[in-house]
Amino acid sequence: PIEIGVNVTGSGLWSATCGTCLDEDLGIFDPSMSTDGSFEITYESLGICEETLSEYIVVIETPSPWFNSPITECEGEGNVQLIAELPLGVWSANCASCLTEDGLFNTESAGTGNWDITYSLSGNCPATYTGIFEVTDNISSAFAAVETFCVNDEVYTFIPVVPGGNWSAECSNCMSGSSFSPSLAGTGDQIVTYSIPGQCGTETTLPITVLSLPDAAFTYTPSSGCIPLFIELTSLTTSAVSMCQWGLVNATGETQWVEDCEDSFMLIEEPGCYDLVHQVIAENGCSNSNLVETAICVNTPPSSEFMYTPAHASIFDSFMTVWAIDSLPSNQFEWTIDGISMDSSNQYQLEMTDIPSNPFNLCLEVSVEFECSTLTCNTITLSEGLTAYAPNAFTPDQDGINDAWR
């Protein structure tokens, strides 16, 4: 407001063509109560010597220093040119050198935070306007991750704080999007990188270690035989291990476990085929297993008992007949005399002339599937003289049987 004065003594009344823009008693002119333009101001004095004075006042519009506010940009945006509604003003800010007078704001110089930005217009009607420039953090490229893997671990999916970025790794084919495959990466150190493009983007790298597995190799013996069968298990691992176990898996999938990191023994008491598995956990936490399918097959031992006739053979007999008591067609037979193979049938007629010695050792070995066999031997002595047998009873009834001693 402007107080208008006159060189007239005494009181008077004020008036103006802009209406209420002028206080009629005090003569105070308020440009804000008018529009721009030329207005007549009149003063009428009161008293004996009335006098009327008038003058024109020109009101011009105050220029607008307004600019868009608040302004928000990330710290990595760099230079941002501020634009006001009217040009030729001067810019300033409370962040020191972050803003030039011609309105170039540097987000990196300012740093994160809220900064007061002022735009000033000079001239007959100076004006200023203050707004806010908010500098935010750049977009986070941080991500949650496991930093150590075993080479046989499943594919792992990294979870970023802000999705939509680009994933990469030193290993060319181990990354698919955000999924990391330890097996494709192989053992050793890898660098996984997640980057968000653009001036507000960031990049995060994380070292990843893929650990090798402990060696689960082993040997075993025997691989077949008759029940009950003891199996000797020998570990070939040279890794530093914390736990090991052996598994014997039957045809139904039931597993008999023995926990032992050293050589071990397992007893098989039922016929059939079995898988063998060796599980090893290393001190670094990685585990490995080695499965040998159908590693061991065992069978029920067959009977190798046999009989022969005559029961009291002599060197004067023409032959002996020997036969296996258990004559299953699936069984394999081998007859030997003093270690010499003689025949492979379940029944054998032995010529006396083929017997190399007296007494002699007659053996029968019976074999079934899975290298399971049994052996039975008898030592037989052939008599060398004539033996007469005298009846001790007669039946002289003329039937031609035991009627008389001859």
Side-chain angles (χ1 to χ4, degrees):
I2 302 172
E3 183 178 356
I4 302 174
V6 293
N7 293 322
V8 177
T9 59
S11 61
L13 295 176
W14 293 89
S15 64
T17 56
C18 58
T20 59
C21 66
L22 182 64
D23 188 307
E24 64 178 6
D25 294 322
L26 301 176
I28 296 176
F29 178 78
D30 187 353
S32 65
M33 299 296 292
S34 69
T35 61
D36 58 323
S38 179
F39 302 96
E40 184 181 9
I41 306 299
T42 302
Y43 179 77
E44 295 179 3
S45 64
L46 302 177
I48 299 175
C49 298
E50 294 183 359
E51 186 178 3
T52 300
L53 301 173
S54 65
E55 187 65 62
Y56 283 87
I57 292 180
V58 177
V59 178
I60 61 176
E61 183 180 4
T62 303
S64 172
W66 183 87
F67 59 91
N68 187 37
S69 174
I71 303 169
T72 302
E73 297 290 350
C74 69
E75 186 176 6
E77 184 65 27
N79 290 326
V80 178
Q81 181 62 57
L82 304 182
I83 300 175
E85 191 174 56
L86 295 176
L88 304 178
V90 176
W91 296 89
S92 61
N94 63 344
C95 53
S97 61
C98 67
L99 180 63
T100 63
E101 289 187 355
D102 57 358
L104 191 63
F105 186 94
N106 187 275
T107 56
E108 294 178 348
S109 296
T112 58
N114 291 328
W115 306 104
D116 293 333
I117 306 297
T118 300
Y119 184 63
S120 301
L121 291 171
S122 58
N124 292 330
C125 296
T128 61
Y129 177 76
T130 300
I132 299 296
F133 196 118
E134 181 184 9
V135 180
T136 62
D137 289 326
N138 292 328
I139 302 173
S140 173
S141 58
F143 59 93
V146 174
E147 298 183 23
T148 303
F149 296 90
C150 298
V151 73
N152 63 344
D153 282 345
E154 295 181 355
V155 173
Y156 180 84
T157 300
F158 298 113
I159 301 176
V161 174
V162 178
N166 300 319
W167 294 92
S168 63
E170 290 180 330
C171 46
S172 58
N173 63 340
C174 64
M175 290 291 298
S176 176
S178 61
S179 297
F180 174 76
S181 172
S183 61
L184 293 178
T187 59
D189 295 328
Q190 301 287 343
I191 298 294
V192 174
T193 301
Y194 181 63
S195 58
I196 295 179
Q199 289 181 299
C200 292
T202 56
E203 182 177 280
T204 297
T205 59
L206 185 70
I208 299 295
T209 300
V210 180
L211 302 174
S212 61
L213 303 181
D215 185 8
F218 67 96
T219 61
Y220 60 94
T221 187
S223 60
S224 59
C226 300
I227 59 170
L229 183 68
F230 274 99
I231 306 298
E232 183 179 3
L233 306 165
T234 302
S235 174
L236 302 179
T237 183
T238 57
S239 308
V241 296
S242 60
M243 196 278 283
C244 318
Q245 59 181 355
W246 304 90
L248 183 67
V249 188
N250 65 18
T252 64
E254 182 180 355
T255 305
Q256 172 188 344
W257 292 103
V258 173
E259 187 171 328
D260 194 345
C261 286
E262 303 297 331
D263 298 347
S264 186
F265 293 90
M266 302 190 81
L267 175 64
I268 301 178
E269 299 183 282
E270 296 293 333
C273 290
Y274 296 80
D275 300 339
L276 274 177
V277 60
H278 185 37
Q279 294 183 345
V280 179
I281 299 178
E283 292 180 352
N284 61 17
C286 293
S287 63
N288 194 15
S289 63
N290 184 12
L291 173 66
V292 180
E293 296 181 345
T294 319
I296 302 169
C297 291
V298 292
N299 212 331
T300 302
S303 171
S304 57
E305 297 292 326
F306 63 89
M307 297 182 68
Y308 58 89
T309 186
H312 302 285
S314 75
I315 60 175
F316 300 104
D317 292 325
S318 299
F319 57 83
M320 289 180 62
T321 300
V322 295
W323 66 94
I325 296 176
D326 189 354
S327 300
L328 295 176
S330 59
N331 293 355
Q332 295 179 346
F333 305 91
E334 183 179 10
W335 298 92
T336 60
I337 294 178
D338 293 341
I340 301 172
S341 179
M342 304 298 293
D343 196 80
S344 60
S345 59
N346 63 337
Q347 181 173 317
Y348 168 50
Q349 186 167 286
L350 172 62
E351 299 290 338
M352 290 303 188
T353 56
D354 293 335
I355 298 175
S357 62
N358 187 28
F360 65 96
N361 196 32
L362 177 63
C363 297
L364 173 62
E365 183 177 16
V366 180
S367 302
V368 292
E369 190 180 14
F370 307 136
E371 301 182 14
C372 175
S373 63
T374 57
L375 179 69
T376 298
C377 294
N378 283 332
T379 299
I380 300 174
T381 301
L382 300 176
S383 61
E384 298 181 358
L386 295 176
T387 302
Y389 295 94
N392 56 9
F394 299 93
T395 56
D397 53 4
Q398 305 302 317
D399 61 356
I401 302 175
N402 294 329
D403 287 329
W405 169 262
R406 299 178 187 273

